[in-house]
């Protein structure tokens, strides 16, 4: 855990989903390979499946931007079919029960809620996916609100967090996430940012500007308890 500034106890915490609460690769990678098998079978894609690293490195982006990175040569129709397939395959994967949260996520969220912290999710993912992960892993009841770009049609996480803060009249929150989009969303909305440095999907410099860094999720509780 690395603290860069003196932290104040927030009234709320806003969490990214992928790479923060959820070990995305445990669900995504099997679905990713099935997706490209289907795209090839349907004539939407030719050649080898793009490297997994290309997909993992794009997590945190809006889905429409992810496909521009993963398969830039493919058609718009292929991108939209990939949207449909990925959601379908991930929902099926959640039902299969093989995906995982990061260690200590549920217990830490429960402890924070017990201390009166209001908990929220803000994700650039699709609504059914984000809520599906929360329901499947039995953490949905811990959140006062689960916000997704898919539901609110926001162009960036900055806008999504702004909507959340205004709707719930939150003045002081910690934005907790693992990508530059989380740092930007927190800072552009004048909130404290806690960078999650354990997922490994992004580059180290993505978390530049965070007020503190944690190397495992459970450190968040100690960070809160030590805050003023």
């Amino acid at each position: 855990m690395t603290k860069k500034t003196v932290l104040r106890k927030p009234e709320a915490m806003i969490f990214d989903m992928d790479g923060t609460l959820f070990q995305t690769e445990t669900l995504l990678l099997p679905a990713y390979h099935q997706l490209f098998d289907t795209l090839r079978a349907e004539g939407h894609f030719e050649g080898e499946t793009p490297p997994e690293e290309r997909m993992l490195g794009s997590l945190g982006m809006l889905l429409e931007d992810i496909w521009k990175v993963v398969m830039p040569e493919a058609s718009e129709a292929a991108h939209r079919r990939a949207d449909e397939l990925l959601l379908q395959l991930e929902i099926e994967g959640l039902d299969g029960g093989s995906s995982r949260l990061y260690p200590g996520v549920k217990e830490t969220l429960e402890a924070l809620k017990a201390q009166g912290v209001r908990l929220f999710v803000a994700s650039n993912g699709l609504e059914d996916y984000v809520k599906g992960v929360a329901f499947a892993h039995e953490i949905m009841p811990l959140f006062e609100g689960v916000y997704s770009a898919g539901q609110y049609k926001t162009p960036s996480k900055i806008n999504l967090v702004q909507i959340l803060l205004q709707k719930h009249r939150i003045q002081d929150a910690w934005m907790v996430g693992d990508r530059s989009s989380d740092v930007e969303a927190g800072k552009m909305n004048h909130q404290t940012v806690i960078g999650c440095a354990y997922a490994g999907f992004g580059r180290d410099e993505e978390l530049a500007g965070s007020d503190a860094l944690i190397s495992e999720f459970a450190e968040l509780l100690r960070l809160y308890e030590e805050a003023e």
Side-chain angles (χ1 to χ4, degrees):
M1 181 172 63
T2 304
K3 292 173 66 174
K4 299 180 180 180
T5 58
V6 176
L7 301 177
R8 296 173 57 86
K9 278 187 168 62
E11 60 180 299
M13 292 191 193
I14 304 168
F15 298 93
D16 174 47
M17 180 63 81
D18 291 321
T20 299
L21 303 176
F22 184 52
Q23 292 191 58
T24 313
E25 69 275 18
T26 63
L27 177 67
L28 175 62
L29 294 183
Y32 180 74
H33 291 283
Q34 292 178 58
L35 180 150
F36 276 96
D37 288 344
T38 303
L39 289 179
R40 278 189 289 265
E42 294 178 352
H44 287 296
F45 190 82
E46 296 180 356
E48 297 294 318
T49 298
E52 293 175 351
E53 292 74 19
R54 197 179 294 179
M55 185 69 178
L56 293 173
S58 303
L59 292 177
M61 296 180 181
L62 296 171
L63 198 55
E64 62 188 64
D65 295 325
I66 288 177
W67 300 127
K68 293 173 185 176
V69 172
V70 172
M71 47 175 175
E73 71 286 354
S75 66
E76 183 70 16
H79 289 180
R80 300 291 71 81
R81 178 59 175 146
D83 289 346
E84 297 170 357
L85 284 170
L86 185 62
L87 179 59
Q88 173 191 328
L89 292 166
E90 288 187 323
I91 296 300
E92 290 173 1
L94 285 171
D95 292 339
S98 60
S99 62
R100 297 190 300 275
L101 300 175
Y102 284 101
V105 163
K106 189 175 182 182
E107 298 83 356
T108 301
L109 292 175
E110 288 172 341
L112 289 167
K113 189 175 179 69
Q115 294 194 50
V117 183
R118 301 168 68 188
L119 307 179
F120 298 86
V121 169
S123 168
N124 273 339
L126 297 174
E127 180 183 6
D128 288 348
Y129 165 75
V130 177
K131 292 181 177 177
V133 170
F135 277 118
H137 292 281
E138 301 178 344
I139 57 174
M140 190 68 171
L142 298 173
F143 298 111
E144 189 173 330
V146 174
Y147 285 67
S148 63
Q151 179 178 4
Y152 287 88
K153 312 301 182 192
T154 44
S156 76
K157 188 169 284 190
I158 296 169
N159 306 97
L160 187 65
V161 171
Q162 181 182 37
I163 291 169
L164 189 162
L165 293 169
Q166 291 175 346
K167 185 173 181 180
H168 296 274
R169 299 183 179 181
I170 296 167
Q171 299 295 321
D172 187 16
W174 287 4
M175 179 70 220
V176 184
D178 71 306
R179 303 306 299 265
S180 59
S181 57
D182 300 307
V183 179
E184 292 165 0
K187 289 303 176 182
M188 292 298 289
N189 284 291
H190 312 292
Q191 304 301 322
T192 297
V193 175
I194 310 300
C196 300
Y198 47 78
F201 297 146
R203 302 176 303 277
D204 291 344
E205 59 267 26
E206 285 204 51
L207 294 175
S210 299
D211 296 290
L213 297 175
I214 56 175
S215 56
E216 59 182 37
F217 191 80
E219 291 177 357
L220 187 63
L221 181 59
R222 181 153 49 98
L223 207 61
Y224 174 77
E225 291 173 343
E226 292 176 354
E228 296 182 349

